[in-house]
Amino acid sequence: MADDLRQWRRKVRPGGGKIWIGAVCLWLFLAFTALSVGFGFRLVLFGSTPAVAYKPSAKVLIRTGTGARAVATQLAKEGVVTDANLFYWYARARGVAGRMKAGEYQFPAAPTPNLVLDVLLQGKVVVYRVTIPEGATLKDVARLVAATELAEADAILQWARDPHLMASLNVTHPASSLEGYLFPETYLFRRTDRPQDVLRRMVLEFWRRFSPPRQAQARRMGFTVHETVTLASLVEKETVRDDERPVIAGVFLNRLQRQMPLQSDPTAVYDLGDFTGPILRRHLERESPYNTYLHKGLPPGPICNPGEKSLRAVLEAKKSSYLYFVSNNDGSHTFSSTYQEHVEAVARFRSMKQEGRNGETVPVNELHAEDMP
C-alpha cells in the first residue's frame, strides 16, 4: 500500500510542477501583452497629439551624425515634441529611428509627433536662396553667401583659393582662384552645406554649361578654357547689351591678333579691392598685371564671373573690322574700324556728356582716342 502511494506521488508531482510553470508563463504573457497594448495605444495617442505650446520661432538644426535618442532630446528641449522618450519609442515603433535626416528645420505651430517625424524622414530642410548675378566678382560672391549666414565671407575667399579644392574641380594653373568659374545662377543651399560645398556647386554648374563641345570650340580658336573665361569676363564688364557682346568680343579678338593692347577700363581697377566710382586716368596708368592699358594680351585671369551670354559671345564672336568702341552714354556703343573714326566717335561722346572732365575722368567702357594702335 505504501509503495503504491509513493509511486502515485512521483507521477503527480512532475505534472503538478508543469502546470504551475505553465500558469506563471501564461500570466506573464498576458501581463506583457496588456502592457504592450497599453504602451502601443499610448504611442498611437502620442503620435497624433500636437505640441500646442510650441510656437515656430527659431530653426532647429540637427547635425550630421546625431543619434535618434539625441534627436528626440533636442526636439523636446526646443519644445517641438512634449516627451523625448515617447518620441524615440514612437520612431522605433514605426521602424524609422535610424532614418531621420540631418539638417535645419522649421516646424509649424503645434506640430504632431507624426508630422515632425515625417518632416525629418523626408528631409524637408530649410533652404537658402543665393543669386549670383552676371559679372559678380569673387568678393561679391563671398558677400552674397555671407548675407545668408551660410558661411563667413573670409571662409569663402579662403576656400576659393585653396589649391586642393581647385584641383578637385579641374581649375588649375594659371588660375590662382575660382574667380571666373563661379557660374552666375540662383542656387538653393542648406545650413549643413560647408563653404567648399557652396563653391563646388557653382563650379560644377560652370562645367555643366561650358560643356565638352564648347571646350572643343575654344581649342579650335586657339584658346584654353582659362583664356576663354578671362576674355568672357572682359566682355561681361564692358556691356549690358546682349546684342553687343559678340561685337565687343570680336573687337578684342581683332586687337589680340594685331598685338594691340586690349585697353579695357575695368581691368585697370580689378585688383583695387572694393573699388567704386569713375575710372580715372591715373587708374589707367597704375602698374598692375591686370591693367590691359600697360600690358598686351589677356590679363592673368578673369576679372569677374561671366554669364552664359558672354561665354557664348566669345565662342561665337562676330567677325568685323572693328578695332575700337566708345560709349554712347545710353548703354550702347559706337564701333570704329579706324583710329580717325574712333577720334570722331569720342568727340561726339564728349559733346553728349557736356561736362568738363579736367583731363581726369575717363568714361567706363571706352577704348580711348589717346591710345594709338
Side-chain angles (χ1 to χ4, degrees):
M1 183 70 176
D3 292 338
D4 293 340
L5 181 60
R6 282 193 294 271
Q7 290 179 6
W8 179 82
R9 285 178 178 175
R10 283 196 296 268
K11 292 178 181 178
V12 171
R13 282 177 182 172
K18 291 179 181 178
I19 293 172
W20 182 81
I21 293 173
V24 171
C25 290
L26 178 60
W27 182 85
L28 290 174
F29 172 76
L30 292 174
F32 179 77
T33 301
L35 288 173
S36 298
V37 170
F39 188 65
F41 179 75
R42 188 181 178 189
L43 286 180
V44 171
L45 184 63
F46 171 76
S48 59
T49 303
V52 294
Y54 175 72
K55 305 297 181 185
S57 54
K59 300 179 180 69
V60 179
L61 176 61
I62 307 297
R63 298 191 179 278
T64 303
T66 305
R69 281 193 180 276
V71 170
T73 300
Q74 183 177 353
L75 292 175
K77 183 178 179 181
E78 299 283 351
V80 180
V81 298
T82 57
D83 190 302
N85 193 49
L86 283 178
F87 184 80
Y88 169 74
W89 284 106
Y90 180 70
R92 287 285 302 271
R94 285 184 53 178
V96 294
R99 289 165 47 193
M100 292 181 282
K101 295 180 173 62
E104 186 178 37
Y105 295 89
Q106 190 161 30
F107 300 97
T112 65
N114 185 59
L115 182 147
V116 171
L117 189 55
D118 285 343
V119 169
L120 293 173
L121 292 174
Q122 296 170 27
K124 293 182 178 179
V125 298
V126 177
V127 294
Y128 293 83
R129 184 183 298 270
V130 178
T131 299
I132 308 302
E134 289 85 354
T137 64
L138 173 57
K139 291 183 178 180
D140 294 331
V141 172
R143 283 191 288 265
L144 289 168
V145 174
T148 66
E149 299 182 353
L150 284 169
E152 296 291 335
D154 288 344
I156 293 293
L157 293 174
Q158 181 179 352
W159 277 104
R161 298 185 176 96
D162 183 82
H164 299 292
L165 179 62
M166 292 175 61
S168 72
L169 294 171
N170 200 28
V171 180
T172 55
H173 183 79
S176 57
S177 74
L178 295 178
E179 182 80 272
Y181 297 88
L182 305 175
F183 195 83
E185 183 59 275
T186 296
Y187 298 91
L188 297 178
F189 296 109
R190 302 167 298 176
R191 175 65 62 194
T192 50
D193 288 329
R194 303 168 300 172
Q196 57 268 44
D197 299 326
V198 171
L199 294 169
R200 185 180 300 276
R201 282 273 304 282
M202 297 179 184
V203 178
L204 291 179
E205 182 63 19
F206 166 82
W207 286 117
R208 189 180 76 82
R209 301 297 190 97
F210 203 75
S211 56
R214 288 188 167 181
Q215 297 171 40
Q217 172 62 15
R219 288 193 295 271
R220 285 192 292 270
M221 295 175 65
F223 288 130
T224 64
V225 171
H226 191 69
E227 290 169 337
T228 305
V229 176
T230 300
L231 184 53
S233 73
L234 270 62
V235 173
E236 189 69 67
K237 283 296 189 180
E238 288 287 3
T239 184
V240 296
R241 290 187 49 153
D242 295 341
D243 61 323
E244 287 192 349
R245 296 179 198 272
V247 184
I248 289 177
V251 172
F252 285 142
L253 289 175
N254 288 342
R255 294 176 75 92
L256 285 172
Q257 291 171 358
R258 298 192 181 200
Q259 297 187 342
M260 297 169 61
L262 295 182
Q263 299 175 332
S264 175
D265 292 3
T267 63
V269 295
Y270 168 69
D271 54 355
L272 281 181
D274 297 324
F275 174 83
T276 58
I279 299 176
L280 307 179
R281 187 173 302 280
R282 59 184 171 85
H283 295 132
L284 307 183
E285 295 172 351
R286 63 179 287 271
E287 175 53 45
S288 165
Y290 285 88
N291 191 344
T292 55
Y293 279 85
L294 300 182
H295 303 282
K296 292 182 179 180
L298 292 168
I303 61 172
C304 71
N305 293 283
E308 168 76 20
K309 294 173 182 176
S310 291
L311 287 167
R312 187 170 65 244
V314 171
L315 298 177
E316 302 174 5
K318 185 173 181 179
K319 294 183 178 180
S320 72
S321 59
Y322 295 144
L323 292 172
Y324 308 90
F325 60 88
V326 64
S327 171
N328 291 325
N329 204 30
D330 61 0
S332 66
H333 295 81
T334 295
F335 297 88
S336 304
S337 300
T338 68
Y339 176 65
Q340 184 57 42
E341 290 174 349
H342 182 57
V343 170
E344 294 171 359
V346 171
R348 287 194 299 272
F349 168 82
R350 288 175 174 167
S351 176
M352 286 187 294
K353 290 287 287 186
Q354 293 181 350
E355 64 182 26
R357 299 191 295 169
N358 301 322
E360 267 294 286
T361 302
V362 178
V364 177
N365 299 339
E366 176 183 335
L367 291 177
H368 299 277
E370 296 84 357
D371 299 295
M372 296 291 291

